[in-house]
Amino acid sequence: MSGPRRIAGGLVIDRTRPVSFQFDGQVLGGFSGDTLASALLANGRRVVARSFKYHRPRGVVAAGPEEPNALVELEGPQGREPNVLATTLPLYEGLTAAGQNAWPSVSVDVGAVNDAISRLLPAGFYYKSFMFPARAWERLYEPLIRRAAGLGRLEARVDAAPPAAQTVHVHADVLVVGAGTAGLCAALACAAAGREVLLLEQDLIAGAGALLDDRWTGWCERALAVLGKMPGVRLLTRTTLLAAYGQGVFTALQTLPGAPTRGDPRERLHVIRARSVVLATGALERLIAFPGNDVPGVMLAGGAGQYLRRYGVAVGERPLWFLNNDEAYEAVFAHHAAGLGSAGIVDVRESGLAMRRAREFGIPVLANARIVAVAGRQAVRGATVETDAGRRHVEADALLMSGGHSPSLALATQLGLGSRWQEEIAAFVPDEPGAGADARSDAGAAAGAAGASADTAVVKLAGAVRGTTGLAAAARDGLAAAASLLGDGVPVGGGNAELRDLFASLPSDLPHTPLRAIWEVHGRGKSFVDLQQDVTTEDVRLAAREGYGHPEHLKRYTTLGMGTEQGRIGALVGLAVLAQARGLPPAQLALTRPRPFAQPVPFAALAGAEARQHFKPRRRLPLHDWHESAGARFVNIGLWLRPLVYSREPGWAPVLAEARAVRERVGLTDVSTLGKIDVQGADAGRFLDFVYANRFSTLPVGRARYGIMLREDGLMFDDGTVARLGAGHFVLTTTTANAAAVLDHLDFQRQAHAAQLGVVLTDVGDAWAQFALAGPRSRAVAARVIDGLDLSNAAFPFMAAAQATIAGIAGRVFRISFSGECAYEIAVPAHHARPVWQALMQEGESEGIAAYGLDALNTLRIEKGHVTGAELTGNASADDLGFAGLPKGDGDFVGRDAARRGALNAAERLQLVALRPVERGLRLRNGAQLVTRSRPRDSLGYITSATPSVVIEGWVGLAMLAGGRRRIGEQLIAASPVHDEHVEVEVISPHWLDAENARVKG
Amino acid sequence: MLRIPCPWCGERDEVEFRYQGDAGRTRPAAGAAAGQVEDYLYLRDNPRGWHLEWWLHTAGCRQLLKVLRHTVTHEIAAVGGPADSLSPPEPRLEPRPVPEPEPRPLPAPGPG
């Protein structure tokens, strides 16, 4: 079950727990602890994918998230998930995956014809070829290209509820990213000094480079044992830091080893807040661009070393090595130690210490040599090696390369650090924090020391990420980073003898010969710098020739580094080839700027538990259950669920029945969603004068007044009523939609511009349930329920307000009307909503009371010409809506001077009017454009809201119409092209119903 | 994400706050000249450096804060109430200016 390429050993696999899985329909075996990639390699599987553009066969190249090729489609309970990285996907029983981007399969792929005609498909091919005609892009070119290119296919089973993704929030004093020797030492030293430390490792075990080196095995085990015992330090493996947002906020993604087939969550998102961060993110091996460097079996030397050490998988029986640095020899020696043969080492250098060691082991080494061609298409069969002595063919079943190591500086860049070229490693390293005095590093700490409340995270770099070579040197880097975080006088290791001993017993680094940079070997055939995006060295040169010689341009023109792995193993090689083409040293160019996220993240992981019904909160009215039992159909208004109509019957009939009940008898509706703000204090009236355009300081106690609120730019913000309950006590209502915005606005205005006023604002929106009892018989019903208040028209006229007892509950009654009928708005504490509502319904039964929903409320207010969100769009001035008379003439208020500008009061602005169809049987549509018969393409305005009327025949609507008030009496066309309707309409006053307010005041 | 040290609640995530604009402006008195009103309403400095801002702690104490934030580094140098006058830290702490902007990239390409 283990596969033919599995040999002894394997640090992370459990040989007692075999696992079976399927790839491309073939049942294969692996072990618990394997990744899909290691299991495929163990089974001798070479071709696992087809490339993006040329459909060339591709195999596994690397052992971690930097893998460019091994993207597979994973079949799971939620459907088919594309682009899953086989090198990080933990193997589980029953895993079913398939190669992608190929038809019929990755082994036999028809699309490979693209490779044969590749000369016709240069970089920028799509830009150049699919230009004309422009309209063909959408219909023809794009679908064709998408079918031919692209990666996997997403096929979600939407009915299958995925396991809830998890989000956790973590706080730490020190975040250490990367658990190689540098990260381990930094974490241990900080923890010993009493800091809360969070140590992240993207690998499934800690150790990183130390895992490849036998001499470090014992030290690593000891370090982890100490770490395990130490309080205050947490190690999270399989956890990748995705993004550094500054100010000490980070996100990390942890892959969970559970099986999705069992419904286990796959990922957990950590939102981390940490004062200090040590970036020990290491360096990644990079490829060498030589012809045929994409043939399956060409891999990174370090990757092959990891498959051997971790999973006991030998990627080849007779591998040929192509190297330029001493570090890569660790993998050679690991293979030798495992008793594996070797076809030899091709080293670009003349001589070196590691080369000498290899020769001592009896491994043939070709110095000053390079590989110029690869034999084999679906698998490596050998290579042509060129030395000073000439060329010769070497048989091999794998080709393991290392072009050096490039620091992983994405996170450092996200934290604002620049980068500079370091010749010794031939790569860019991040600027030292503080040295360049850039960004959120020591500047923050210094500002903190200076007494300011700076709260940016302190950044330290340690290990290979800053260009350090050698595991012991990296470890010392980690200790130095910790020491500089902890400050002077804190001994590293503290009082922990075990720890001091650990730090004192670092295996020494062997002397090493520096690398010799090699980027490209020229020869016949394609040399790839980006295997996932199929970008060759020739593409890079073409881009330079065509004027796309800036690295950012190169990236976009050739898509170099735009794949899921962001060019981790080849982008620098591409940059160096570009530099060469431009005749510059690479140091004079800069890498493209990495942004969050550092690796692809499933949306589900970002959403966490906030999915489906938890995506946003749902606000239910205090009376929700009553509405539901009364058969209400609900509608989402913002977060609120509001009763739309108390009927399941479709169409307008039930709505109009409810509206008619209000016009003819009495109705009751729930308006608890209105924003309600309590305004108290000696200066409450003056404050309201400042925030409303109208005057409220003169409002008598026991009265209410309609008010309009302007924005500072003079346009209408919100409207509502303000009632005065006492000398220093007002309560105001806002529209439902603006409840939160008005509260913020008032809080801002009070503190920023009215701080001298004695006034306190309290949001009481949720504390009060509020109902509108409306209709000619509303007084009769109200009188039966309300105690201690004379409701006669003389004693409690229109716009009266009072505290009262309603059905035994202390509350408030306001004689205000949105419907245009005599109405009482009754407010009671929310937890008493139900008995009061029921009492009103019960006492109203003999009067023919009906509960009415939002649709009927809308019908009533459109008839009456009252505005709501549809008209209060933020573009309308007070004058536009017919409120020119409301703003006070003296005293300051928000929006005062801006509202007086001529342009906001111009006669040609869109003004509120009402409309009726000339042919009464025709309907009006919201959004229909108003035009004249002679100029049918020039919109004069639009219909904002429309309803069938229960008072006059046919439909009636409100509209915003250019110079509308002047046009009353004219006939226009309401055009709704989407409905193919052109309705002749008559412009009428919005106050056509009961203009003298007799019903309201009666 | 910003972490704003609220003087009343302690250091909190940006999501608890609502930005309320430039706090460096002064609201003109009623009847001010049109130019002054225009300036207050529409004209903003867009500094590369320290910027005085209003933040309302909507999901906390609901107090209005003046925050002195660096627009390049997001560093917050000082936080206070509406009546406080905040000044930037010493010039020696001024973060290094960022390099000249890179040339504007091409629009994102199609595949290939």
Side-chain angles (χ1 to χ4, degrees):
Chain A
M1 287 294 280
S2 68
R5 306 297 317 141
R6 186 88 64 175
I7 62 160
L11 279 171
V12 299
I13 55 166
D14 182 353
R15 287 174 176 266
T16 64
R17 291 171 60 201
V19 172
S20 85
F21 68 101
Q22 268 192 46
F23 185 74
D24 269 351
Q26 198 182 357
V27 178
L28 299 167
F31 290 118
S32 171
D34 262 327
T35 61
L36 175 59
S38 68
L40 287 171
L41 287 169
N43 283 282
R45 186 81 201 212
R46 275 283 189 253
V47 182
V48 298
R50 284 277 170 167
S51 74
F52 184 66
K53 185 171 165 187
Y54 302 124
H55 291 249
R56 287 162 72 106
R58 291 283 167 78
V60 177
V61 168
E66 65 275 21
E67 169 64 33
N69 286 339
L71 297 173
V72 299
E73 287 179 350
L74 184 64
E75 286 287 345
Q78 280 84 53
R80 188 198 301 127
E81 188 185 344
N83 306 336
V84 177
L85 202 50
T87 52
T88 57
L89 178 66
L91 198 65
Y92 54 85
E93 185 62 38
L95 181 149
T96 305
Q100 61 186 24
N101 202 26
W103 183 85
S105 76
V106 291
S107 305
V108 185
D109 175 20
V110 171
V113 67
N114 276 8
D115 196 19
I117 59 163
S118 64
R119 249 177 304 171
L120 306 179
L121 298 169
F125 169 68
Y126 296 106
Y127 293 133
K128 292 165 181 164
S129 311
F130 299 110
M131 291 186 61
F132 305 103
R135 66 176 177 278
W137 177 258
E138 221 169 281
R139 298 243 170 98
L140 180 66
Y141 298 148
E142 189 178 331
L144 273 177
I145 294 165
R146 287 206 183 279
R147 200 177 313 153
L151 294 170
R153 298 156 300 160
L154 176 69
E155 207 167 273
R157 278 177 215 126
V158 286
D159 54 320
Q166 299 174 340
T167 307
V168 294
H169 290 256
V170 197
H171 292 257
D173 295 323
V174 184
L175 171 67
V176 181
V177 189
T181 58
L184 278 171
C185 282
L188 286 167
C190 290
R195 301 290 191 278
E196 291 284 330
V197 179
L198 181 66
L199 175 58
L200 305 184
E201 172 52 53
Q202 70 180 16
D203 201 351
L204 73 173
I205 44 171
L211 296 173
L212 277 180
D213 191 335
D214 266 333
R215 299 185 307 126
W216 281 81
T217 312
W219 187 91
C220 233
E221 279 166 5
R222 273 171 65 206
L224 288 174
V226 177
L227 190 112
K229 283 186 291 186
M230 197 171 275
V233 55
R234 271 182 74 195
L235 168 66
L236 291 178
T237 55
R238 297 179 189 274
T239 306
T240 308
L241 197 73
L242 294 173
Y245 296 106
Q247 307 242 329
V249 183
F250 304 84
T251 52
L253 187 70
Q254 182 179 22
T255 310
L256 302 173
T261 44
R262 289 201 310 260
D264 296 343
R266 292 252 304 274
E267 285 111 0
R268 184 180 293 146
L269 188 76
H270 295 263
V271 180
I272 301 160
R273 291 167 184 83
R275 287 259 153 235
S276 313
V277 58
V278 177
L279 296 179
T281 46
L284 284 174
E285 200 159 42
R286 55 183 183 249
L287 53 74
I288 302 171
F290 57 87
N293 68 343
D294 68 326
V295 176
V298 179
M299 294 180 66
L300 292 171
Q306 288 190 49
Y307 283 112
L308 181 67
R309 298 272 304 177
R310 299 149 59 99
Y311 309 104
V313 174
V315 297
E317 274 176 48
R318 269 180 65 79
L320 178 66
W321 305 83
F322 184 18
L323 312 173
N324 74 338
N325 64 89
D326 275 14
E327 292 89 327
Y329 277 73
E330 290 306 331
V332 181
F333 301 141
H335 274 71
H336 180 74
L340 293 164
S342 168
I345 300 170
V346 176
D347 197 315
V348 300
R349 297 172 297 178
E350 301 281 350
S351 63
L353 297 165
M355 288 164 77
R356 196 183 308 154
R357 266 182 80 203
R359 286 199 178 103
E360 282 163 16
F361 285 130
I363 305 168
V365 181
L366 291 168
N368 201 9
R370 63 229 133 247
I371 288 174
V372 293
V374 177
R377 183 164 173 84
Q378 301 246 349
V380 169
R381 285 186 284 104
T384 306
V385 181
E386 186 183 68
T387 60
D388 297 341
R391 293 186 173 191
R392 66 185 172 103
H393 180 77
V394 179
E395 296 279 322
D397 61 347
L399 210 166
L400 307 177
M401 64 183 161
S402 175
H405 295 80
S406 310
S408 300
L409 37 69
L411 294 169
T413 311
Q414 285 181 30
L415 284 167
L417 297 177
S419 63
R420 69 198 144 82
W421 182 259
Q422 188 169 316
E423 194 58 46
E424 305 86 76
I425 59 166
F428 289 96
V429 294
D431 286 335
E432 284 298 321
D438 194 18
R440 306 146 194 159
S441 53
D442 289 6
S453 53
D455 55 355
T456 51
V458 178
V459 184
K460 300 289 173 198
L461 305 172
V465 69
R466 58 187 291 265
T468 303
T469 305
L471 295 170
R476 282 190 290 273
D477 251 16
L479 294 176
S484 93
L485 274 183
L486 298 172
D488 296 339
V490 182
V492 169
N496 188 327
E498 206 177 356
L499 206 54
R500 282 202 308 273
D501 184 45
L502 184 75
F503 294 155
S505 58
L506 299 169
S508 57
D509 287 332
L510 298 177
H512 76 282
T513 309
L515 64 64
R516 187 174 134 201
I518 176 168
W519 308 109
E520 182 180 10
V521 182
H522 294 273
R524 278 173 57 90
K526 294 189 179 72
S527 303
F528 288 89
V529 291
D530 187 329
L531 292 160
Q532 191 178 96
Q533 297 289 305
D534 263 355
V535 181
T536 65
T537 51
E538 213 35 66
D539 291 331
V540 174
R541 278 187 282 272
L542 179 72
R545 280 201 302 279
E546 296 191 342
Y548 298 96
H550 189 283
E552 294 283 0
H553 287 160
L554 173 75
K555 172 175 174 171
R556 284 152 183 86
Y557 195 58
T558 63
T559 70
L560 168 63
M562 285 175 74
T564 56
E565 97 303 1
Q566 297 280 291
R568 277 181 171 85
I569 66 169
L572 185 67
V573 182
L575 190 81
V577 172
L578 175 71
Q580 216 158 30
R582 290 180 52 189
L584 300 170
Q588 288 202 10
L589 298 181
L591 287 169
T592 55
R593 195 175 176 83
R595 285 177 288 265
F597 297 112
Q599 72 167 49
V601 191
F603 278 117
L606 295 177
E610 288 161 23
R612 297 171 188 244
Q613 72 270 33
H614 303 297
F615 177 59
K616 57 181 183 182
R618 186 171 288 177
R619 300 182 75 180
R620 289 186 174 82
L621 291 159
L623 278 173
H624 184 85
D625 292 349
W626 188 93
H627 298 314
E628 197 161 45
S629 64
R633 207 159 69 216
F634 288 91
V635 59
N636 283 303
I637 301 289
L639 301 175
W640 286 105
L641 272 181
R642 296 185 69 176
L644 189 64
V645 56
Y646 294 87
S647 169
R648 299 275 157 199
E649 198 190 316
W652 283 97
V655 174
L656 299 181
E658 289 174 7
R660 217 166 268 126
V662 176
R663 290 268 180 258
E664 290 164 10
R665 305 187 303 276
V666 58
L668 187 63
T669 193
D670 190 342
V671 294
S672 302
T673 58
L674 293 175
K676 305 167 210 83
I677 300 169
D678 206 61
V679 184
Q680 297 197 38
D683 297 321
R686 286 174 62 198
F687 175 68
L688 293 172
D689 284 350
F690 178 63
V691 293
Y692 281 96
N694 330 48
R695 191 182 311 284
F696 287 99
S697 52
T698 57
L699 186 69
V701 174
R703 297 289 295 177
R705 185 172 286 167
Y706 175 75
I708 59 170
M709 214 178 261
L710 305 183
R711 300 191 311 223
E712 201 65 278
D713 67 2
L715 293 170
M716 278 280 286
F717 173 35
D718 199 57
D719 70 345
T721 54
V722 179
R724 190 166 203 169
L725 299 174
H729 186 192
F730 295 78
V731 60
L732 64 90
T733 62
T734 75
T735 60
T736 299
N738 281 337
V742 169
L743 186 66
D744 288 355
H745 174 72
L746 297 191
D747 267 332
F748 174 79
Q749 293 297 346
R750 183 183 70 75
Q751 297 176 62
H753 301 138
Q756 75 286 2
L757 297 181
V759 58
V760 175
L761 305 174
T762 312
D763 175 16
V764 294
D766 288 342
W768 294 89
Q770 197 151 321
F771 320 130
L773 180 71
R777 299 187 200 166
S778 59
R779 182 174 297 124
V781 179
R784 283 175 217 163
V785 181
I786 296 167
D787 289 327
L789 195 64
D790 180 358
L791 290 179
S792 69
N793 208 22
F796 199 72
F798 179 55
M799 284 294 175
Q803 322 241 19
T805 306
I806 308 109
I809 305 298
R812 295 159 182 174
V813 181
F814 311 96
R815 178 92 189 267
I816 53 185
S817 171
F818 195 46
S819 56
E821 298 299 323
C822 171
Y824 299 85
E825 281 199 10
I826 293 165
V828 290
H831 56 286
H832 292 303
R834 189 153 178 153
V836 174
W837 174 278
Q838 279 173 327
L840 285 161
M841 288 300 290
Q842 207 173 329
E843 294 300 331
E845 209 174 324
S846 58
E847 304 293 340
I849 198 169
Y852 63 105
L854 197 60
D855 264 354
L857 186 69
N858 208 34
T859 294
L860 296 166
R861 70 100 193 164
I862 294 170
E863 287 182 331
K864 184 63 184 170
H866 281 158
V867 296
T868 182
E871 292 80 27
L872 290 171
T873 56
N875 293 322
S877 70
D879 180 62
D880 296 343
L881 298 176
F883 299 135
L886 291 186
K888 46 194 175 283
D890 61 331
D892 194 8
F893 60 90
V894 175
R896 182 193 110 122
D897 287 322
R900 292 180 181 183
R901 287 175 296 176
L904 292 195
N905 302 282
E908 277 315 301
R909 287 179 60 87
L910 297 179
Q911 294 171 336
L912 182 73
V913 293
L915 302 171
R916 288 186 79 185
V918 173
E919 195 178 317
R920 304 294 189 212
L922 297 178
R923 76 169 289 180
L924 300 179
R925 300 272 188 186
N926 290 353
Q929 299 294 314
L930 301 173
V931 296
T932 58
R933 196 170 285 282
S934 57
R935 305 188 66 176
R937 286 173 181 276
D938 295 343
S939 174
L940 296 171
Y942 60 96
I943 299 181
T944 56
S945 33
T947 179
S949 175
V950 293
V951 177
I952 52 176
E953 189 193 351
W955 284 66
V956 64
L958 293 175
M960 298 303 291
L961 176 63
R965 288 195 286 273
R966 188 167 43 76
R967 290 180 184 271
I968 288 171
E970 286 182 19
Q971 293 198 346
L972 296 170
I973 309 287
S976 182
V978 288
H979 301 103
D980 200 18
E981 287 176 4
H982 297 81
V983 177
E984 195 156 9
V985 292
E986 172 191 343
V987 182
I988 58 176
S989 160
H991 308 299
W992 57 269
L993 174 69
D994 187 24
E996 51 295 330
N997 264 352
R999 287 168 184 244
V1000 176
K1001 293 177 177 169
Chain B
M1 174 158 60
L2 298 178
R3 300 266 291 161
I4 299 174
C6 172
W8 312 98
C9 307
E11 188 185 80
R12 298 300 173 90
D13 280 356
E14 178 184 336
V15 294
E16 290 188 9
F17 298 82
R18 191 160 297 160
Y19 181 60
Q20 297 282 349
D22 186 340
R25 299 171 296 146
T26 310
R27 188 175 182 273
Q36 255 180 295
V37 176
E38 182 204 11
D39 193 10
Y40 175 69
L41 286 176
Y42 301 117
L43 301 182
R44 300 285 182 279
D45 291 334
N46 184 16
R48 172 190 260 190
W50 296 107
H51 188 229
L52 196 61
E53 306 175 334
W54 289 120
W55 288 83
L56 184 63
H57 199 179
T58 49
C61 56
R62 296 202 68 88
Q63 294 302 301
L64 183 66
L65 310 180
K66 251 184 199 169
V67 175
L68 190 63
R69 182 181 69 94
H70 198 283
T71 58
V72 177
T73 65
H74 299 299
E75 203 176 304
I76 291 172
V79 179
D84 295 333
S85 67
L86 311 181
S87 47
E90 295 297 303
R92 68 185 167 83
L93 298 171
E94 189 76 12
R96 188 181 70 175
V98 294
E100 281 308 299
E102 286 145 356
R104 206 172 51 175
L106 296 176

